[in-house]
Amino acid sequence: MTAVRGTAVDIPTRDGIADAYLVHPDDTDRHPAVLLYMDGFGLRPHLRGMADRLATAGYTVLAPNVFYRHGRAPVVELPDFIDFAARPEIFQNIIPITQELTPERAMSDAGTYLEWLASCPQATDGPVGITGYCLGAGLALRTAGSYPDRVAAVAGFHGGNLATDAPDSPHTVAGQVTAELYFGHADQDHSLPPEQMERLDKALTEAGVRHRAEVYPGAQHGYTQADTVSYNAEAAERHWEALLELFGRTL
């Protein structure tokens, strides 16, 4: 496997300093850039491991702590393994933080992350790829719609609330998206019921967005996250195959 080099970086934003993890192949070349949006549990060893795996495929990966306004990662104290018993207290702390990450704040940050990658010595100059998990899938979709000239491909996995009735639902940016999109939905996901899957697909289709959505059978919300009880090894490997295929064609 390709050796990689990871390091902690600080990114100045309009509202403070976003701590992040940067990883890239351990060489002197420039590589296509990927922005990795975390799930709700935040930037932690498992997410860094996912960024490392993506970098072994030849990418320069930036994984920011999108909750940086509330402190450096880990913003919320987490056990090594997140089981059902631990979730209520964790969610009690996380939900108010996610609610304060408004679309306006998130997309201001997204522009900063993209600008930072554009000047990163380890990244190529071309459009970036984005992958997002849980709430990160919504951030990825919003970023594609907010910065269409900078984003070539987006993948979202077990995304929640992607196509709600809210006027600022992520799916409402479909008309501005030029990137190619892929979604790997969990078939056991209360945060993205079938009606939302259908609404998302309809919005993207009507906007002429190149996209594909698949429902992973037997998968729960969070199926890619090996440090949680929701992890599904088969679905997680399927996600890697889909993600690398998308980026291999588009970046």
Side-chain angles (χ1 to χ4, degrees), residues 116-210:
W116 193 91
L117 280 170
S119 63
C120 177
Q122 293 82 20
T124 57
D125 295 333
V128 308
I130 305 179
T131 183
Y133 304 87
C134 179
L135 67 85
L139 295 176
L141 177 55
R142 289 189 193 279
T143 303
S146 298
Y147 302 95
D149 60 329
R150 291 287 296 123
V151 181
V154 166
F157 300 94
H158 48 82
N161 301 312
L162 296 177
T164 70
D165 293 326
D168 61 353
S169 172
H171 79 286
T172 60
V173 306
Q176 288 75 55
V177 172
T178 59
E180 182 174 345
L181 309 185
Y182 174 88
F183 292 97
H185 302 313
D187 75 341
Q188 300 173 27
D189 193 343
H190 65 277
S191 68
L192 195 75
E195 56 268 25
Q196 285 200 40
M197 296 183 192
E198 294 173 5
R199 185 181 295 139
L200 174 62
D201 184 73
K202 180 180 178 182
L204 295 174
T205 299
E206 291 180 348
V209 177
R210 295 165 296 158

